[in-house]
Amino acid sequence: MLTTITEGILCCLTGKAASLVLPLESSEPSDGFEFVEVKPGRVLRVRHIIPERPVVTEDQVAGKGNTDGTDDDVEGSLEEDNESNTGSSVHCKRKITVYRNGQLVIENLGDVLHSEILQCQDGDLEPCSTVEVELADYKEMPSSPDPNSAPPPVPSPLGEHKPAPPPRRRRRKPKRTVQIDSKRVISSCKGTHSDVALFFVHGVGGSLDIWGSQLDFFSRLGYEVIAPDLAGHGASTAPHIAAAYTFYALAEDLRAIFKRYARKRNILIGHSYGVSFCTFLAHEYPDLVHKVVMINGGGPTALEPSLCSIFQLPSCVLHCLTPCLAWSFLKAGFARQGAKEKQLLKQGNAFNVSPFVLRAMMSGQYWPEGDEVYHAELTVPILLVHGMCDKFVPMDEDQRMAEILLFAFLKVIEEGSHMVMMECPDTVNTLLHEFFLWEPDMSRKASSKTDMALTDSLHTLKINKPVDK
């Protein structure tokens, strides 16, 4: 800690930032690591693992020159790839209306299995439903009474209370109306499918190393996985310009990574701040994004720069406070703070960024377009994973997100916190894998047991909130 304080004092005296994160020295990609130049002088480290699959030649497809019985294997793999392209065609028709008083009305008009995909358990079709929420803080009550509300009932002389007349509804003019009418095919994604790719995006202060358990697990199952380091994080370059860490700059970096490695069906997995980038890509490329996983992302409010006073301090002062910030992150990011968690934090290379990058990241979180309407326009299936002990993102925000989204599964892990994928890797991996293999059954005659296979399997891993003693 004394060394850190000394470097911070020298930083103040010289006016230069200390300990910038620079790329690791590597002559060529090894162990699945690649360095991609998204812009001139802006290089990101990417871990790209391609599973080993048998190479199919034209002669094998035609059935020529094979006498050892490999034709059946080739045909089986080709049939499996063809099956991966077929799935349930879901019709999503939605009307989103925003009023001037901050009211948001979402009307589901299509023939989506709304009751089965969302909260209902009866398995009946619910083609039409309406969700009405407030754009402002939904916990706050109006400070002044509503002038259009019905007057209180007046007691009669005999002591009888007559019911108040129903309030008169005034036709309001909407401020904004969004119409969604689209069809998408939702199918299961297995590791043997060559047209499937998994993208893992970390948050502020993290790196691709926090996904170590997930990358190893899914690559062993045959999935193609891609995990980048954001600018200034891990082994990516760290420009000493605050504008390089705004949401839009980082989003363009990930857009370049996505366009480089994208397959026909892509699944995005984001954590914390990384969830916003996954939402951005899902909105920009609806035909390429197949499913999305949001881990402790919160929302769905628009992003704003952090107003925390500690991140407004000079970089040299933040450098002196780095040990305290790391300890605070360990205490708030993990449910337990033992030797195992400290080792996970060290192995995951988490919170190992320069004070300048940390300050620029927190100040650059400005994304006004990512509001409730932006999230309500998503028609892709989404799995929400929340750690019960998370001190950064409250449960209310993920519940709010589940209300806004059309296809949403909200799963809670009791023993997990903000870094739940590192604390409970087996549970998270099982949840994600079940979600990847899930495919909706659109038949009206299907029973709830067969059509809710994913929900049943995921509920076995969901633990109820403990009762306060």
Side-chain angles (χ1 to χ4, degrees), residues 162-417:
K162 296 182 179 180
R168 299 180 59 184
R169 284 182 171 267
R170 182 174 61 177
R171 190 170 185 178
R172 295 167 297 172
K173 185 177 180 181
K175 179 181 179 181
R176 180 184 176 190
T177 302
V178 178
Q179 298 281 351
I180 301 175
D181 190 355
S182 64
K183 289 184 179 181
R184 77 164 46 244
V185 177
I186 303 173
S187 57
S188 63
C189 297
K190 298 181 181 179
T192 55
H193 296 164
S194 59
D195 62 342
V196 177
L198 309 182
F199 288 82
F200 293 84
V201 184
H202 66 83
V204 178
S207 70
L208 63 85
D209 298 322
I210 67 174
W211 301 108
S213 299
Q214 287 70 42
L215 298 180
D216 295 339
F217 177 80
F218 288 105
S219 61
R220 288 197 304 267
L221 291 178
Y223 287 93
E224 181 178 357
V225 296
I226 302 97
D229 276 334
L230 297 180
H233 295 69
S236 296
T237 56
H240 195 64
I241 303 175
Y245 304 99
T246 63
F247 172 83
Y248 297 101
L250 298 173
E252 290 302 320
D253 292 347
L254 292 177
R255 185 202 294 269
I257 297 296
F258 181 78
K259 293 173 65 176
R260 178 185 178 94
Y261 295 101
R263 301 300 181 186
K264 185 176 181 180
R265 295 182 297 168
N266 304 277
I267 301 178
L268 310 179
I269 304 97
H271 171 251
S272 191
Y273 190 28
V275 170
S276 298
F277 300 111
C278 293
T279 303
F280 170 80
L281 293 176
H283 203 278
E284 292 291 314
Y285 303 98
D287 296 332
L288 293 178
V289 176
H290 193 65
K291 296 174 183 177
V292 178
V293 179
M294 301 180 176
I295 303 178
N296 291 329
T301 56
L303 292 179
E304 295 181 355
S306 175
L307 300 178
C308 183
S309 58
I310 191 172
F311 295 111
Q312 306 301 325
L313 298 174
S315 300
C316 55
V317 179
L318 284 178
H319 187 77
C320 297
L321 299 177
T322 297
C324 298
L325 293 176
W327 178 82
S328 300
F329 179 80
L330 175 65
K331 186 176 181 180
F334 291 87
R336 301 177 180 85
Q337 296 81 37
K340 177 183 177 182
E341 285 71 26
K342 293 180 180 178
Q343 185 66 20
L344 288 175
L345 192 65
K346 183 178 180 181
Q347 292 177 353
N349 199 18
F351 214 79
N352 187 23
V353 298
S354 70
F356 174 80
V357 172
L358 180 62
R359 179 186 179 188
M361 289 283 291
M362 300 302 294
S363 302
Q365 297 185 34
Y366 179 69
W367 186 36
E369 293 86 359
D371 56 3
E372 286 89 344
V373 179
Y374 190 92
H375 289 80
E377 292 176 348
L378 296 177
T379 59
V380 60
I382 297 176
L383 173 64
L384 301 170
V385 180
H386 185 88
M388 181 68 73
C389 303
D390 192 352
K391 296 182 177 64
F392 290 109
V393 179
M395 172 71 72
D396 295 341
E397 293 191 12
D398 277 329
Q399 290 177 342
R400 169 81 163 181
M401 182 75 82
E403 295 175 358
I404 295 294
L405 298 173
L406 177 63
F407 295 90
F409 298 96
L410 174 58
K411 302 304 168 186
V412 180
I413 302 177
E414 179 187 358
E415 67 274 16
S417 184

Side-chain angles (χ1 to χ4, degrees), residues 6-27:
T6 305
E7 292 178 354
I9 296 175
L10 293 176
C11 173
C12 293
L13 295 176
T14 59
K16 299 180 180 180
S19 67
L20 288 179
V21 180
L22 298 177
L24 297 177
E25 295 183 1
S26 177
S27 57

Side-chain angles (χ1 to χ4, degrees), residues 398-464:
D398 277 329
Q399 290 177 342
R400 169 81 163 181
M401 182 75 82
E403 295 175 358
I404 295 294
L405 298 173
L406 177 63
F407 295 90
F409 298 96
L410 174 58
K411 302 304 168 186
V412 180
I413 302 177
E414 179 187 358
E415 67 274 16
S417 184
H418 193 67
M419 308 299 292
V420 64
M421 63 280 181
M422 301 177 68
E423 296 174 296
C424 315
D426 296 335
T427 304
V428 173
N429 293 341
T430 304
L431 286 172
L432 267 59
H433 194 207
E434 292 288 347
F435 180 62
F436 299 163
L437 299 178
W438 169 75
E439 180 178 342
D441 189 355
M442 301 302 296
S443 61
R444 183 183 293 269
K445 297 181 181 180
S447 62
S448 60
K449 293 183 180 180
T450 57
D451 205 28
M452 295 289 290
L454 171 68
T455 306
D456 294 339
S457 59
L458 293 184
H459 274 305
T460 59
L461 295 173
K462 177 181 176 181
I463 305 176
N464 295 329

